[in-house]
Amino acid sequence: MINYYVRLALKSFQRTPALTLVILFSISIGIAVCVVTLTLYHAVSSNPIWWKSARLYVVTMDSWDPKQPYDTTRPSLPPPLLSYRDAKYLLGSTIPERKVAMYRMKGVITGAPRQSIPDAIMTRVTTSDFFSMFDVPFLYGSGWSSEADLSPLPLIVLSRAQNDALFGGINSVGRVIRWNDRDFRIVGVLDRWFPQPKFYDLTSSAFGAPEDAYIPFGWAIALKKYPASTVDCWRMETLKSFEQFLSSDCLWIHMWVELPNIAKRQQMQAFIDSYWDEQHRAGRFPRARNNQLIDVSHWLVDQRVVSDDDRMLVELAFAFLASCIITTAGILLAKFLKSSPISGIRRALGASRLQIFLQHLVEVCLLCICGATFGIALSGLGLWALSLLFRIDPTNVGGYQALIHLDMASIGYAVALAVLTTLAAGIYPAWRICTAPLAVYLKGQ
Amino acid sequence: MNFGIRPILSVLIRSPVGPLLVAIEMAIALAVGVNAAYIVHQRIEKVARPTGIDDANQFVVYSVSFIDGFNYDDSVQEDLAYLRGLPGIVAVSVTNAAPFSQDGNITSVWTKPDHKGPEQYVNYFEMDEHAIQALGTRLLAGRAFHREEILPPVTERNANDFVPEIIITESLAKALFPHRKALGATVYDALNNPVTIVGITHDMIGSAFSRYPGDETFVALAPRMPLLYGFAYLVRTKPGRRDALMRIVEQHLSASNLGRTIRLRSVEFFKNKLYLTDRVMQVFLVAVDVLLFAITSVGIFALSMFNVSSRTRQIGVRRALGARRKDIFLYFMIEIALITSVGVVFGCMLAIELSYWLSAHYGLPRLDLHYLVTGVLALWILGQFAVYAPAREATTVPPSVATRTV
């Protein structure tokens, strides 16, 4: 039966080729615009560690100013970072399966064989669990042990791009380079890793590049150098030395824990809360108790990774699609009613109303499939054009522009939209034609 | 001459669905098109607003030292002597952050001591006595810094002592002292040290933090050498010389001191980065508006052509009964005018609803009614143009069609 309907549909297209083209045009650009905005939205709202995101939590405590919240627009949200002393204490807990405390510093690399000038790079100073917690892939070697954090040992892990630039991509594990004029031994080189958004550190830019080098957390004290990442201080204290900075209430440490089940999560919460109680009695933490363990998906929402612009684009795209659907429906209605004599004859020959309805729906479906196919091609073009707009920083590999390409999700959206368009544009005209009093067309004109 | 709206109306009312669909489509096109155009206008305005500095002719040179025992003072003196001696350079100042870089420093000041009175966030730049010329801003009152006032850099984080004098922007002056002259007034830093306002400049956009909306021009210049919070040279060149000078400066400074590494960026780069999403919105929404226009006009054209070809019998009959070509033409023009009117009425309501919704959800300003009026006019004209060719086609139907039985 479907074969027959398809042939009828093709005949119908042949009868009115211009109208068919207009319908195809309308459907394909409606779908294309929606697919472009949906792809963008999907890319910025994706969860790059979805397979374990429910086990990973950011540790936050509200240690801010008693007179005003950290974020006046969302007063119930604690600040995203911890102070050094709080992070140090919480790192001592044995409850989490893994725990990470980290921040960023500027580092200058010298002493590598293929270097002509010193290379200033962003370095992540982190505890050893970072690589296993966030499933960071290694090309050569591995991370360091937890003992290396304590001493700290002069070990360094490089990103793949950095290893390519410094050593031409060879296995550089065991080599020594100078980081900020200190000898560091390379223990690992990461494979390509570019999670977008940069979920593990949204405090700088949500779509920034991962750092080029990683060194053990113990260097925080040993170097006596200030971080290059966000430092938020509310207390009006004069800090005249690095030691005072370390014991102050300035927030600059980002802490994550891995808690495999609810029981562990409750234990961790209790641990943090009892630390808070003890410190509060000693005079710290003037605000109401608000210690939150925030998992990755909630964290992405709280840190507002998806902007209002992204949402607005999707909504306007759907309004545009509605316009296209209505145009299509109007043209289909006119087309079907014009060809009522043919349907009238078919009814006279025994076709039921349902069959007429289905036949016309098949015709609409074919149009929508073709339209969706052209729509995908057009959206590929649209996404490519959009990525050109984003390509203003030639040194910034990846980032927002890497997200903007056609992927399986886009195809999925196109298929779903094709179904939606078929039903929305086709149901009323098909219903009209099958309920029309078609016998009238059998009479001689 | 008989215009006869009644017969046109009765035809439309008898089979209303088709024309109604066209009217609804026009309504959606009006609502979406007008709101999209208004958003584009807002973004264009935002990107075009004056920055207050000479951003087309400026670049920054970031300098990061990495060896122990790096001699800060000698290095800065050497660099500044070189830069200020280059032909084509108007002025150079040190700075802790580049304008528009979304990176930099904020501190709080109060208009009364002991943190009394409202707390005002200030986005400050640590610069030297050449700050005003390097930025390319204008002093409205007061003076620039003197060489002797420039303090040595802060070496411990969050030392919290601010500087004794600052130069602030006009809007910050009004925010701090709405009823009196800000020049010469005193504000207090977090540790109750007094800070005198020695100069007021034209408004300029600072690091563009926007922690709170509307505060991008609350900028202060602090007379202090930068170090801990970032270090760069802000270089202002003569017009057209920027790119060439960037190459020359990069070549020289990367070799002149091997204890540090440098990186150059134009201020325009940061500005483009800042406004990137606005530009994308503009392009996207203009594309949507163009496509809406195309869909609506092609849709009306195709539908009208189709109508004409399926109504040849009626047209023929009317011609046979005495209608002139002009009457047939007018019939179709008036028909589309009626449909457009209905579409416009729905469209205006929809446009205003959409504008309220966008305003409530995204904090956008309400639609400027000029846009709505222009949209309505555009829709009218679009309708008439789209139906012109089909209407002309209709006039070619001969009266003899009425007597045929096929």
Side-chain angles (χ1 to χ4, degrees), chain A residues 16 19 22 25-26 29 33 36-37 64 67-68 70 72 106 108 110 117-120 180-182 225-227 229 231-233 235-242 245 250 308-309 311-313 315-316 319-320 322-324 326-327 329-331 333-335 338 386 389-390 392-393 395-396 428 432 445, chain B residues 17-18 21 24-25 28-29 32 36 39 43 64-68 110 115 119 121 155-161 190-191 211-212 228 230 254 258 260-261 265 269 272-273 276-281 283-285 288 291-292 294-296 298-299 302-303 306-307 309-310 313 354 357-358 361-362 364 405:
Chain A
T16 55
L19 274 186
V22 171
F25 171 63
S26 171
I29 59 174
V33 166
V36 167
T37 54
W64 201 247
K67 284 186 285 172
Q68 63 185 30
Y70 178 79
T72 49
K106 261 187 223 153
V108 178
T110 47
I117 50 169
D119 196 11
N180 275 359
D181 219 34
R182 252 191 173 82
K225 285 262 161 56
Y226 292 95
S229 45
V231 176
D232 279 325
C233 315
R235 221 186 257 280
M236 306 306 171
E237 45 198 358
T238 305
L239 303 170
K240 290 290 184 199
S241 71
F242 191 75
F245 176 67
C250 285
D308 277 348
D309 277 3
R311 266 184 277 267
M312 196 157 52
L313 280 180
E315 285 154 4
L316 286 172
F320 176 70
S323 174
C324 294
I326 304 240
T327 309
I331 298 180
L333 188 65
K335 194 162 119 82
K338 174 100 187 266
L386 215 58
L389 273 176
F390 279 111
I392 58 157
D393 182 0
T395 62
N396 190 9
Y428 178 73
R432 263 297 286 275
Q445 268 295 9
Chain B
V17 179
L21 285 176
I24 295 176
E25 203 267 310
I28 298 180
V32 174
I39 295 174
R43 297 304 167 104
V64 177
S65 66
F66 58 93
I67 54 170
D68 285 331
W110 289 258
H115 301 183
E119 182 180 354
Y121 284 106
T155 48
E156 299 300 338
R157 192 93 191 207
N158 206 47
N160 254 327
D161 290 301
L191 297 172
R211 193 181 191 158
Y212 298 97
L228 271 191
S254 31
L258 297 175
R260 57 95 188 270
T261 172
R265 283 265 190 267
F269 167 79
N272 288 339
K273 205 163 173 184
L276 183 57
T277 48
D278 295 306
R279 222 169 285 117
V280 169
M281 267 309 245
V283 168
F284 195 88
L285 291 179
V288 165
L291 288 174
L292 261 178
I295 280 285
T296 310
V298 167
L303 217 51
F306 191 71
N307 275 344
S309 65
S310 36
R313 196 114 204 283
L354 184 59
W357 191 87
L358 285 173
H361 278 215
Y362 300 115
L364 303 177
T405 50

Side-chain angles (χ1 to χ4, degrees), chain A residues 320-358:
Chain A
F320 176 70
L321 180 66
S323 174
C324 294
I325 288 179
I326 304 240
T327 309
T328 305
I331 298 180
L332 281 173
L333 188 65
K335 194 162 119 82
F336 287 174
L337 289 178
K338 174 100 187 266
S339 59
S340 341
I342 300 173
S343 302
I345 294 176
R346 288 186 61 218
R347 293 269 271 128
L349 290 174
S352 70
R353 287 219 179 129
L354 182 63
Q355 285 169 326
I356 301 291
F357 180 79
L358 283 178

Side-chain angles (χ1 to χ4, degrees), chain B residues 317-375:
Chain B
V317 167
R318 291 196 71 208
R319 291 274 276 132
L321 291 175
R324 286 155 304 167
R325 293 212 176 158
K326 195 158 56 165
D327 297 324
I328 304 295
F329 184 76
L330 275 177
Y331 176 97
F332 283 98
M333 298 300 264
I334 292 175
E335 187 182 62
I336 206 67
L338 288 174
I339 297 176
T340 310
S341 309
V342 174
V344 157
V345 168
F346 280 147
C348 284
M349 298 191 319
L350 209 59
I352 295 180
E353 265 310 304
L354 184 59
S355 157
Y356 274 17
W357 191 87
L358 285 173
S359 179
H361 278 215
Y362 300 115
L364 303 177
R366 298 254 182 85
L367 184 63
D368 179 353
L369 289 179
H370 287 130
Y371 275 79
L372 194 56
V373 169
T374 315

